[in-house]
Each structure stands twice: as C-alpha cells, then as structure tokens.
Amino acid sequence: EKCALLLSSKPIPNDIIAIKQYISALGRENAAYVANYRRIIFGEDKDCKIDDVLSKKYCLSISELAINGADLINLGIESKNIGTILNKLLQLVIKEKVSNERENLLFQAQNIK
C-alpha cells in the first residue's frame, strides 16, 4: 500500500495553497511520508514547506472543520448533499476564502445550499 502511494505520488507544489490541497488529498500522515520520499529521490521540497504546513494548525480535512454534518442538517440541508457541501467548505477554507469559524462556515453553507 505504501509502495503504491509513493509510486503514484505527484510532485510537491511550491505554492502554499497548492501544498495545503496536496496534503488534504493525501492525508497528513501520508503527505509527510510522501514528502520525505520525494525529497530523497527527487530533491523536491528542500525548504520543507510541507513540514511547515503540517506543523501549523491549518484545517486540511473535513473532520477539522468547525462544523459537521449535523450542523448542516440543522440548517435544513438534505443528507444527500452534506458531503458535497462539506467538501466545498473545506476547499474555501484551504484556499483561505473563508476562515474555519463556525458562524462563517454556517453562513457559507446557507449560501451554497
């Protein structure tokens, strides 16, 4: 499983937003693992930008959002749309278009709805 992860890994981006998306797609543990591999094999991320992002409290997964599916249900959002909306909210947070604060996310969810 780890070998497949490494072999299918993509180059590490330089832009902070792209790095946050990269980590989000892989998960924190896998991103650190892939970063070490790509540093050694390909000489990428020599300034350890991934490590810097991982060491900070950035929201990089749905479980780290300040709201959850139950909050969306309370807004009247259908359960079939919850995953899609949470993913959209996560992308807004990663792209720094909205802060990971409960009220901001609830407002954005209402707009997406």
Side-chain angles (χ1 to χ4, degrees), residues 13-51:
N14 289 318
D15 171 77
I16 189 77
I17 302 296
I19 288 173
K20 288 166 41 175
Q21 290 173 319
Y22 188 89
I23 295 169
S24 180
L26 290 171
R28 290 178 182 272
E29 185 178 321
N30 286 339
Y33 187 73
V34 168
N36 287 330
Y37 164 77
R38 294 199 68 89
R39 265 188 222 114
I40 293 166
I41 302 300
F42 302 109
E44 295 175 5
D45 195 37
K46 291 182 181 182
D47 52 359
C48 300
K49 288 181 181 178
I50 282 189
D51 295 339

Side-chain angles (χ1 to χ4, degrees), residues 20-83:
K20 288 166 41 175
Q21 290 173 319
Y22 188 89
I23 295 169
S24 180
L26 290 171
R28 290 178 182 272
E29 185 178 321
N30 286 339
Y33 187 73
V34 168
N36 287 330
Y37 164 77
R38 294 199 68 89
R39 265 188 222 114
I40 293 166
I41 302 300
F42 302 109
E44 295 175 5
D45 195 37
K46 291 182 181 182
D47 52 359
C48 300
K49 288 181 181 178
I50 282 189
D51 295 339
D52 185 47
V53 170
L54 287 169
S55 71
K56 294 185 174 154
K57 298 276 183 182
Y58 290 117
C59 173
L60 301 173
S61 69
I62 288 174
S63 65
E64 295 170 348
L65 286 170
I67 64 171
N68 59 35
D71 296 313
L72 297 181
I73 290 171
N74 289 337
L75 287 177
I77 295 172
E78 294 181 34
S79 59
K80 67 179 183 179
N81 298 326
I82 289 177

Side-chain angles (χ1 to χ4, degrees), residues 3-4 9 26 48 54 69 72 84 98 100:
C3 287
S9 68
L26 290 171
C48 300
L54 287 169
L72 297 181
T84 301
V98 69
N100 186 27

